[in-house]
Amino acid sequence: MKKIIFLPVISLLFFFSACKSHNTDAGPDKIDSKVDSVLNLMTLDEKIGQMVIYTSDWDVTGPTLKSNYIDDIRKGNCGNIFNAHTTAYVRKLQKIAVEESRLGIPLLFGYDVIHGHKTIFPISLGESASWDLEAIEKSARVSAVEAAASGLNWTFAPMCDISVEPRWGRVSEGAGEDPYLGSKIAAARVHGFQGDNNDLSDSLTILACVKHFAAYGAPIAGRDYNTVDMSKRVFLDAYLPPYKSAIDAGAMSVMTSFNELDGVPATANKYLMTDLLRNQLGFKGFVVTDYTAINELVNHGVAANEAEAGLLAVKAGVDMDMQGEVYFKYLKKQVESGQVDEKLIDEAVRRILKVKFMLGLFDDPYKYCNAEREKRLVYAPEHLQAALDVAKKSMVLLKNANNTLPLEKGEKIAVIGELANSKRDLLGSWKAAGDWDFMKSILDEIKTYNGENNVLYSEGCKMMGDDRSGFAAAIATARKAQKIIMVIGESCDWSGEAASRTNIQVPGVQTELLEKLRALGKPVVVVLMNGRPLDLTREDQTADAILEAWFPGTMGGKAVTQVLFGEYNPSGKLTMTFPRNVGQVPIFYYEKNTGRPIYLPNDKYKSKYIDCPNTPLYPFGYGLSYTTFEYSDITLSSNTLKENGKIEATVTVKNTGSRDGDEVVECYVRDLVGSITRPVKELKGFEKIKLKAGESKPVIFTITPDMLAFHQLDMSYGTEPGDYKLFIGTSSADVKETSFKLE
Ligand code: GLC
């Protein structure tokens, strides 16, 4: 039992400055020796204190709040804080930790910087629709710079949860349904947060956190926190890849998910947190729980009480208890009674201290607390420009009958809808420290662009409820205009955490008003603001044009305006399938063929509905442009792919319209016969190209055997020789195809 030695602070500061001299060479072995030198000074209480994170009272992102977190910091019982930001507040709390706790170990400061800190970018699902990895990385980079400038050194992102469940509100935080695209985006986000060479000592990089590990995106019935039950094969081939990609990109923290997987809640799941995450994926960072997830093991029914829950978590490989106070209350006694080996505690604390050293916090605990830098970097013009750029690239043109869009500047426009006049909703869920004081709404920006006198506005109706009293005024306003823009969709609170829906239609009576407006016989443009795929069957039948704008962020009003008036030619493509109705859910492009596929010649005995087509309203990878593109047939460098060889597949894409435009060219494969059934398509590549009007460009995809690997019948991971189809096209449902053989 270590005696508590009250070292005068000065000697500890001297001690840490000695560590500092090593810090110039922060190689892993140097850091490990420094970590050990600190660990050897720590009491068991102080070790457990490092395994604890509490929310400040600045923002609450879960069901509980502790009032005495500042006292816990002072006593060394809390080594990490989240939901606290600004240099002033972080400095205040850091000072208490460094100067008033016995050892003065600096705090980590975490926050949900998901799609921006102050400058807010489109929600992550929207960003993913840009298919622009550079833009997505830029968004994470700007987010990291503003977060770091505001005192933060850790973000709880990227969210890497694959999902085919539009009922689940958290699809808004992810990158859609596809494992390949989701993996590319996860890596881009980690690079953005941690910097290209993962130099966490750089004071403008922050620690990334891979969440929610694992398979949180597949709750039964799309109900948040609900049971996840899937085959190990589906988990490994469809849900694991983005987490793995983020870890391979260097992310140094992982957050456990609330859900169970195969009967074991993630936070107590040793297979997930140790066997898979550390031993197979080689993860070297630390694991933090989601908010009170240890406590919730009792509700799950795998622990009789919180003490047992803590035992399960620490033995599963969970290093840090977020907000649950379970490690704080029970771990010490469990070590003292021999239920937990102190070595396990030491390993967890080592992993946490190592990251603090990598961040340079022992060098300078106040390195993120520069008030001048905060003032200079937050909302910097180049950040706002980046947010505008990403917002435009995220938007998806779903319909454009009779080339209704783009609008002509100076046309008399009626703008209708509560969302048109909302700034708050533009930011979406998980808006971090984003504020809307200086922002402009879509209506504001259309007026600025098109001239106040050319824009009429009427709210028409609220986003929710059945109050139709505003209909008449909206219709009267629309009668005076040449064209009508109606902004409809969900409130920003209707997606994100704890926001599942059973009905995924546009809420309230917005669509009813849309239909009445269309009955006036004027062109009607719908701008959508939503955080999930919606059932847009009625809107698709009514509107002449539909622009999916998601929740486009701080610069969203300007971005929508520039797209509507053709200053930017929309190039986004859906990364989640939009169903015809919720009865089709789950519906996704990489389905299996089944034994009775829809194309069988008989009318009855096949996998279909009697009341709805099998096809979605808008498929994965779909999005229109103000121009048109034509694809040539695919040419292959060879029709045989040898074991260590490669095939080059080439198409020529031509811009056959009158406007320059960007096109996402998508490449899919299908394994025709396997030891298990295989998806009818799997995305294996994409390239976003710029084409001037009339310009043609060859696009080449290189196919190698490793891209075709999967978990086979015996669960070994590898490829199986045989016949494959290869598809290249403008969406998962609109492709050219050819075939090749894998030897
Ligand atoms: C929430 C979310 C998680 C977030 C955490 C901290 O419950 O599930 O995504 O990072 O708590 O705010």
Side-chain angles (χ1 to χ4, degrees), residues 151-197:
L152 295 162
N153 45 49
W154 183 18
T155 179
F156 303 132
M159 186 271 220
C160 301
D161 305 323
I162 288 293
S163 187
V164 296
E165 257 300 347
R167 292 173 290 186
W168 187 52
R170 302 199 76 167
V171 293
S172 59
E173 304 169 44
E177 70 191 48
D178 183 72
Y180 177 83
L181 179 62
S183 300
K184 293 291 185 185
I185 289 174
R189 288 182 169 143
V190 171
H191 291 315
F193 292 131
Q194 298 196 164
D196 259 342
N197 37 17

Short mmCIF file of all heavy atoms in Angstrom, two decimals, residues 151-197:
data_model
loop_
_atom_site.label_atom_id
_atom_site.label_comp_id
_atom_site.label_asym_id
_atom_site.label_seq_id
_atom_site.Cartn_x
_atom_site.Cartn_y
_atom_site.Cartn_z
N GLY A 151 -9.28 25.78 -26.28
CA GLY A 151 -8.89 25.09 -25.05
C GLY A 151 -9.03 23.59 -25.09
O GLY A 151 -8.55 22.89 -24.20
N LEU A 152 -9.64 23.05 -26.14
CA LEU A 152 -9.92 21.61 -26.18
C LEU A 152 -8.74 20.82 -26.73
O LEU A 152 -7.96 21.33 -27.53
CB LEU A 152 -11.16 21.35 -27.03
CG LEU A 152 -12.45 21.94 -26.43
CD1 LEU A 152 -13.53 22.05 -27.50
CD2 LEU A 152 -12.94 21.11 -25.27
N ASN A 153 -8.59 19.55 -26.30
CA ASN A 153 -7.52 18.72 -26.87
C ASN A 153 -8.04 17.34 -27.27
O ASN A 153 -7.25 16.45 -27.58
CB ASN A 153 -6.36 18.59 -25.88
CG ASN A 153 -6.83 18.31 -24.46
OD1 ASN A 153 -7.65 17.41 -24.25
ND2 ASN A 153 -6.37 19.09 -23.49
N TRP A 154 -9.39 17.16 -27.29
CA TRP A 154 -9.95 15.83 -27.56
C TRP A 154 -11.34 16.01 -28.12
O TRP A 154 -12.14 16.77 -27.57
CB TRP A 154 -9.97 15.06 -26.24
CG TRP A 154 -10.44 13.65 -26.25
CD1 TRP A 154 -10.55 12.82 -27.32
CD2 TRP A 154 -10.82 12.89 -25.10
NE1 TRP A 154 -10.99 11.58 -26.92
CE2 TRP A 154 -11.16 11.58 -25.56
CE3 TRP A 154 -10.91 13.15 -23.74
CZ2 TRP A 154 -11.60 10.58 -24.69
CZ3 TRP A 154 -11.33 12.15 -22.88
CH2 TRP A 154 -11.67 10.89 -23.36
N THR A 155 -11.64 15.34 -29.22
CA THR A 155 -13.00 15.37 -29.73
C THR A 155 -13.57 13.95 -29.72
O THR A 155 -12.82 12.99 -29.93
CB THR A 155 -13.10 15.94 -31.14
OG1 THR A 155 -14.49 15.91 -31.54
CG2 THR A 155 -12.30 15.15 -32.16
N PHE A 156 -14.85 13.84 -29.47
CA PHE A 156 -15.49 12.52 -29.50
C PHE A 156 -16.01 12.28 -30.92
O PHE A 156 -17.20 12.26 -31.17
CB PHE A 156 -16.63 12.47 -28.48
CG PHE A 156 -16.19 12.79 -27.07
CD1 PHE A 156 -16.89 13.71 -26.30
CD2 PHE A 156 -15.06 12.21 -26.52
CE1 PHE A 156 -16.49 14.00 -24.99
CE2 PHE A 156 -14.65 12.50 -25.23
CZ PHE A 156 -15.37 13.40 -24.47
N ALA A 157 -15.06 12.16 -31.82
CA ALA A 157 -15.35 11.95 -33.25
C ALA A 157 -14.09 11.39 -33.89
O ALA A 157 -13.01 11.55 -33.32
CB ALA A 157 -15.71 13.30 -33.89
N PRO A 158 -14.18 10.67 -35.01
CA PRO A 158 -15.34 10.50 -35.89
C PRO A 158 -16.28 9.40 -35.41
O PRO A 158 -15.86 8.40 -34.88
CB PRO A 158 -14.70 10.10 -37.22
CG PRO A 158 -13.45 9.36 -36.82
CD PRO A 158 -12.95 10.06 -35.61
N MET A 159 -17.56 9.65 -35.63
CA MET A 159 -18.57 8.61 -35.45
C MET A 159 -18.50 7.71 -36.67
O MET A 159 -18.73 8.16 -37.78
CB MET A 159 -19.94 9.27 -35.30
CG MET A 159 -21.06 8.34 -34.96
SD MET A 159 -21.85 7.64 -36.44
CE MET A 159 -23.54 7.69 -35.95
N CYS A 160 -18.21 6.42 -36.44
CA CYS A 160 -17.92 5.49 -37.56
C CYS A 160 -19.00 4.43 -37.70
O CYS A 160 -18.74 3.36 -38.27
CB CYS A 160 -16.58 4.83 -37.34
SG CYS A 160 -15.21 5.96 -37.19
N ASP A 161 -20.19 4.72 -37.20
CA ASP A 161 -21.22 3.69 -37.18
C ASP A 161 -21.93 3.57 -38.52
O ASP A 161 -22.67 4.46 -38.93
CB ASP A 161 -22.26 4.03 -36.10
CG ASP A 161 -21.62 4.23 -34.73
OD1 ASP A 161 -20.65 3.51 -34.42
OD2 ASP A 161 -22.05 5.15 -34.01
N ILE A 162 -21.70 2.44 -39.21
CA ILE A 162 -22.45 2.18 -40.43
C ILE A 162 -23.91 2.00 -40.05
O ILE A 162 -24.22 1.45 -38.98
CB ILE A 162 -21.93 0.87 -41.09
CG1 ILE A 162 -20.55 1.10 -41.70
CG2 ILE A 162 -22.89 0.34 -42.16
CD1 ILE A 162 -20.51 2.04 -42.87
N SER A 163 -24.84 2.49 -40.90
CA SER A 163 -26.24 2.27 -40.59
C SER A 163 -27.09 2.23 -41.86
O SER A 163 -26.86 2.99 -42.78
CB SER A 163 -26.78 3.37 -39.67
OG SER A 163 -28.10 3.03 -39.25
N VAL A 164 -28.05 1.31 -41.85
CA VAL A 164 -29.04 1.21 -42.93
C VAL A 164 -30.43 1.50 -42.34
O VAL A 164 -31.44 1.07 -42.88
CB VAL A 164 -29.01 -0.18 -43.59
CG1 VAL A 164 -27.66 -0.44 -44.26
CG2 VAL A 164 -29.31 -1.28 -42.58
N GLU A 165 -30.44 2.29 -41.26
CA GLU A 165 -31.66 2.48 -40.48
C GLU A 165 -32.08 3.95 -40.41
O GLU A 165 -31.75 4.66 -39.47
CB GLU A 165 -31.41 1.99 -39.04
CG GLU A 165 -32.02 0.65 -38.74
CD GLU A 165 -33.54 0.64 -38.93
OE1 GLU A 165 -34.15 1.72 -39.06
OE2 GLU A 165 -34.11 -0.45 -38.99
N PRO A 166 -32.84 4.44 -41.37
CA PRO A 166 -33.23 5.86 -41.33
C PRO A 166 -34.15 6.21 -40.17
O PRO A 166 -34.31 7.37 -39.83
CB PRO A 166 -33.98 6.07 -42.65
CG PRO A 166 -34.36 4.71 -43.11
CD PRO A 166 -33.35 3.79 -42.60
N ARG A 167 -34.68 5.19 -39.47
CA ARG A 167 -35.50 5.49 -38.29
C ARG A 167 -34.60 5.95 -37.14
O ARG A 167 -35.03 6.64 -36.23
CB ARG A 167 -36.29 4.25 -37.86
CG ARG A 167 -37.37 3.84 -38.83
CD ARG A 167 -38.01 2.51 -38.46
NE ARG A 167 -37.09 1.40 -38.67
CZ ARG A 167 -37.46 0.12 -38.53
NH1 ARG A 167 -38.71 -0.19 -38.17
NH2 ARG A 167 -36.60 -0.87 -38.74
N TRP A 168 -33.33 5.59 -37.19
CA TRP A 168 -32.37 5.89 -36.13
C TRP A 168 -31.84 7.31 -36.33
O TRP A 168 -31.23 7.61 -37.37
CB TRP A 168 -31.23 4.88 -36.19
CG TRP A 168 -30.25 4.95 -35.08
CD1 TRP A 168 -30.51 4.94 -33.74
CD2 TRP A 168 -28.82 5.02 -35.20
NE1 TRP A 168 -29.34 4.97 -33.03
CE2 TRP A 168 -28.28 5.03 -33.90
CE3 TRP A 168 -27.93 5.05 -36.28
CZ2 TRP A 168 -26.91 5.09 -33.63
CZ3 TRP A 168 -26.56 5.10 -36.04
CH2 TRP A 168 -26.07 5.12 -34.73
N GLY A 169 -32.06 8.18 -35.39
CA GLY A 169 -31.72 9.60 -35.55
C GLY A 169 -30.24 9.87 -35.71
O GLY A 169 -29.84 10.90 -36.24
N ARG A 170 -29.40 8.91 -35.28
CA ARG A 170 -27.96 9.19 -35.27
C ARG A 170 -27.30 8.92 -36.62
O ARG A 170 -26.10 9.13 -36.78
CB ARG A 170 -27.28 8.41 -34.15
CG ARG A 170 -27.86 8.75 -32.79
CD ARG A 170 -26.98 8.39 -31.64
NE ARG A 170 -25.88 9.37 -31.50
CZ ARG A 170 -25.10 9.43 -30.43
NH1 ARG A 170 -25.27 8.58 -29.43
NH2 ARG A 170 -24.11 10.33 -30.36
N VAL A 171 -28.10 8.50 -37.62
CA VAL A 171 -27.50 8.40 -38.96
C VAL A 171 -26.97 9.77 -39.40
O VAL A 171 -26.06 9.88 -40.20
CB VAL A 171 -28.49 7.87 -40.01
CG1 VAL A 171 -28.87 6.42 -39.72
CG2 VAL A 171 -29.73 8.74 -40.10
N SER A 172 -27.52 10.82 -38.80
CA SER A 172 -27.10 12.19 -39.13
C SER A 172 -25.64 12.43 -38.79
O SER A 172 -24.99 13.30 -39.35
CB SER A 172 -27.95 13.19 -38.36
OG SER A 172 -27.80 12.96 -36.96
N GLU A 173 -25.09 11.62 -37.87
CA GLU A 173 -23.71 11.87 -37.39
C GLU A 173 -22.69 11.03 -38.16
O GLU A 173 -21.49 11.17 -37.91
CB GLU A 173 -23.61 11.50 -35.91
CG GLU A 173 -24.58 12.22 -35.01
CD GLU A 173 -24.60 11.60 -33.62
OE1 GLU A 173 -23.54 11.30 -33.07
OE2 GLU A 173 -25.70 11.40 -33.08
N GLY A 174 -23.19 10.14 -39.03
CA GLY A 174 -22.26 9.19 -39.65
C GLY A 174 -21.96 9.48 -41.09
O GLY A 174 -22.12 10.60 -41.58
N ALA A 175 -21.56 8.41 -41.81
CA ALA A 175 -21.18 8.55 -43.22
C ALA A 175 -22.02 7.63 -44.09
O ALA A 175 -21.61 7.29 -45.21
CB ALA A 175 -19.71 8.23 -43.40
N GLY A 176 -23.18 7.22 -43.57
CA GLY A 176 -24.11 6.46 -44.41
C GLY A 176 -23.96 4.96 -44.30
O GLY A 176 -23.48 4.44 -43.29
N GLU A 177 -24.41 4.26 -45.36
CA GLU A 177 -24.58 2.80 -45.29
C GLU A 177 -23.39 1.99 -45.78
O GLU A 177 -23.36 0.77 -45.60
CB GLU A 177 -25.83 2.39 -46.08
CG GLU A 177 -25.72 2.52 -47.58
CD GLU A 177 -27.08 2.36 -48.29
OE1 GLU A 177 -28.06 3.00 -47.86
OE2 GLU A 177 -27.14 1.62 -49.29
N ASP A 178 -22.44 2.62 -46.43
CA ASP A 178 -21.44 1.80 -47.13
C ASP A 178 -20.12 1.65 -46.38
O ASP A 178 -19.49 2.64 -45.99
CB ASP A 178 -21.16 2.42 -48.51
CG ASP A 178 -20.19 1.54 -49.27
OD1 ASP A 178 -20.60 0.44 -49.71
OD2 ASP A 178 -19.01 1.91 -49.36
N PRO A 179 -19.64 0.43 -46.21
CA PRO A 179 -18.39 0.17 -45.48
C PRO A 179 -17.16 0.80 -46.14
O PRO A 179 -16.29 1.34 -45.47
CB PRO A 179 -18.28 -1.35 -45.49
CG PRO A 179 -19.65 -1.85 -45.74
CD PRO A 179 -20.33 -0.81 -46.56
N TYR A 180 -17.10 0.76 -47.50
CA TYR A 180 -15.91 1.27 -48.20
C TYR A 180 -15.84 2.79 -48.08
O TYR A 180 -14.84 3.35 -47.65
CB TYR A 180 -15.95 0.85 -49.67
CG TYR A 180 -14.81 1.39 -50.49
CD1 TYR A 180 -13.57 0.75 -50.51
CD2 TYR A 180 -14.95 2.56 -51.22
CE1 TYR A 180 -12.51 1.25 -51.25
CE2 TYR A 180 -13.90 3.09 -51.95
CZ TYR A 180 -12.69 2.43 -51.97
OH TYR A 180 -11.64 2.93 -52.70
N LEU A 181 -16.94 3.46 -48.42
CA LEU A 181 -16.97 4.93 -48.34
C LEU A 181 -16.83 5.35 -46.88
O LEU A 181 -16.07 6.28 -46.56
CB LEU A 181 -18.28 5.45 -48.92
CG LEU A 181 -18.47 6.96 -48.87
CD1 LEU A 181 -17.39 7.69 -49.68
CD2 LEU A 181 -19.86 7.36 -49.38
N GLY A 182 -17.51 4.64 -45.99
CA GLY A 182 -17.42 4.97 -44.57
C GLY A 182 -16.00 4.85 -44.05
O GLY A 182 -15.56 5.66 -43.22
N SER A 183 -15.26 3.88 -44.56
CA SER A 183 -13.86 3.70 -44.13
C SER A 183 -12.98 4.85 -44.62
O SER A 183 -12.15 5.38 -43.89
CB SER A 183 -13.32 2.38 -44.66
OG SER A 183 -14.09 1.31 -44.16
N LYS A 184 -13.19 5.25 -45.86
CA LYS A 184 -12.39 6.35 -46.42
C LYS A 184 -12.66 7.64 -45.65
O LYS A 184 -11.76 8.42 -45.35
CB LYS A 184 -12.75 6.55 -47.90
CG LYS A 184 -12.34 5.39 -48.80
CD LYS A 184 -10.83 5.30 -48.93
CE LYS A 184 -10.39 4.24 -49.91
NZ LYS A 184 -8.93 4.08 -49.92
N ILE A 185 -13.93 7.85 -45.33
CA ILE A 185 -14.32 9.09 -44.62
C ILE A 185 -13.81 9.07 -43.18
O ILE A 185 -13.31 10.09 -42.68
CB ILE A 185 -15.84 9.27 -44.70
CG1 ILE A 185 -16.22 9.65 -46.14
CG2 ILE A 185 -16.31 10.33 -43.70
CD1 ILE A 185 -17.71 9.74 -46.40
N ALA A 186 -13.86 7.92 -42.54
CA ALA A 186 -13.37 7.82 -41.16
C ALA A 186 -11.89 8.20 -41.09
O ALA A 186 -11.47 8.98 -40.23
CB ALA A 186 -13.58 6.40 -40.63
N ALA A 187 -11.11 7.69 -42.03
CA ALA A 187 -9.67 8.00 -42.06
C ALA A 187 -9.45 9.48 -42.33
O ALA A 187 -8.62 10.13 -41.69
CB ALA A 187 -8.98 7.14 -43.11
N ALA A 188 -10.24 10.03 -43.25
CA ALA A 188 -10.08 11.46 -43.57
C ALA A 188 -10.35 12.31 -42.35
O ALA A 188 -9.65 13.29 -42.08
CB ALA A 188 -11.03 11.84 -44.71
N ARG A 189 -11.35 11.94 -41.58
CA ARG A 189 -11.70 12.71 -40.38
C ARG A 189 -10.60 12.59 -39.32
O ARG A 189 -10.22 13.59 -38.70
CB ARG A 189 -13.06 12.28 -39.84
CG ARG A 189 -14.21 12.76 -40.73
CD ARG A 189 -15.60 12.43 -40.26
NE ARG A 189 -16.56 13.20 -41.08
CZ ARG A 189 -17.74 12.72 -41.46
NH1 ARG A 189 -18.12 11.52 -41.07
NH2 ARG A 189 -18.55 13.43 -42.22
N VAL A 190 -10.04 11.42 -39.15
CA VAL A 190 -8.95 11.27 -38.17
C VAL A 190 -7.75 12.12 -38.60
O VAL A 190 -7.16 12.85 -37.80
CB VAL A 190 -8.53 9.79 -38.03
CG1 VAL A 190 -7.25 9.66 -37.20
CG2 VAL A 190 -9.64 8.97 -37.40
N HIS A 191 -7.43 12.08 -39.87
CA HIS A 191 -6.30 12.91 -40.36
C HIS A 191 -6.60 14.39 -40.12
O HIS A 191 -5.72 15.16 -39.77
CB HIS A 191 -6.08 12.67 -41.86
CG HIS A 191 -5.56 11.33 -42.20
ND1 HIS A 191 -4.53 10.72 -41.51
CD2 HIS A 191 -5.94 10.42 -43.12
CE1 HIS A 191 -4.30 9.52 -42.01
NE2 HIS A 191 -5.14 9.31 -42.99
N GLY A 192 -7.85 14.75 -40.31
CA GLY A 192 -8.20 16.16 -40.08
C GLY A 192 -8.03 16.54 -38.62
O GLY A 192 -7.47 17.59 -38.29
N PHE A 193 -8.48 15.68 -37.73
CA PHE A 193 -8.40 16.01 -36.29
C PHE A 193 -6.97 15.91 -35.77
O PHE A 193 -6.50 16.81 -35.08
CB PHE A 193 -9.29 15.06 -35.48
CG PHE A 193 -10.76 15.23 -35.70
CD1 PHE A 193 -11.58 14.13 -35.95
CD2 PHE A 193 -11.36 16.49 -35.68
CE1 PHE A 193 -12.94 14.27 -36.16
CE2 PHE A 193 -12.73 16.65 -35.89
CZ PHE A 193 -13.51 15.54 -36.14
N GLN A 194 -6.27 14.84 -36.12
CA GLN A 194 -4.95 14.59 -35.51
C GLN A 194 -3.80 15.09 -36.38
O GLN A 194 -2.64 14.95 -36.02
CB GLN A 194 -4.78 13.10 -35.21
CG GLN A 194 -5.80 12.59 -34.21
CD GLN A 194 -5.43 11.25 -33.59
OE1 GLN A 194 -5.99 10.86 -32.59
NE2 GLN A 194 -4.50 10.54 -34.17
N GLY A 195 -4.14 15.63 -37.54
CA GLY A 195 -3.07 16.09 -38.42
C GLY A 195 -2.57 14.95 -39.28
O GLY A 195 -2.63 13.78 -38.88
N ASP A 196 -2.04 15.26 -40.42
CA ASP A 196 -1.67 14.22 -41.38
C ASP A 196 -0.67 13.24 -40.83
O ASP A 196 -0.73 12.04 -41.09
CB ASP A 196 -1.12 14.86 -42.66
CG ASP A 196 -2.22 14.87 -43.72
OD1 ASP A 196 -3.19 14.09 -43.52
OD2 ASP A 196 -2.14 15.62 -44.69
N ASN A 197 0.31 13.74 -40.01
CA ASN A 197 1.27 12.76 -39.47
C ASN A 197 1.00 12.48 -38.00
O ASN A 197 1.88 12.15 -37.23
CB ASN A 197 2.72 13.23 -39.69
CG ASN A 197 2.83 14.72 -39.51
OD1 ASN A 197 1.94 15.32 -38.93
ND2 ASN A 197 3.88 15.34 -40.02
#
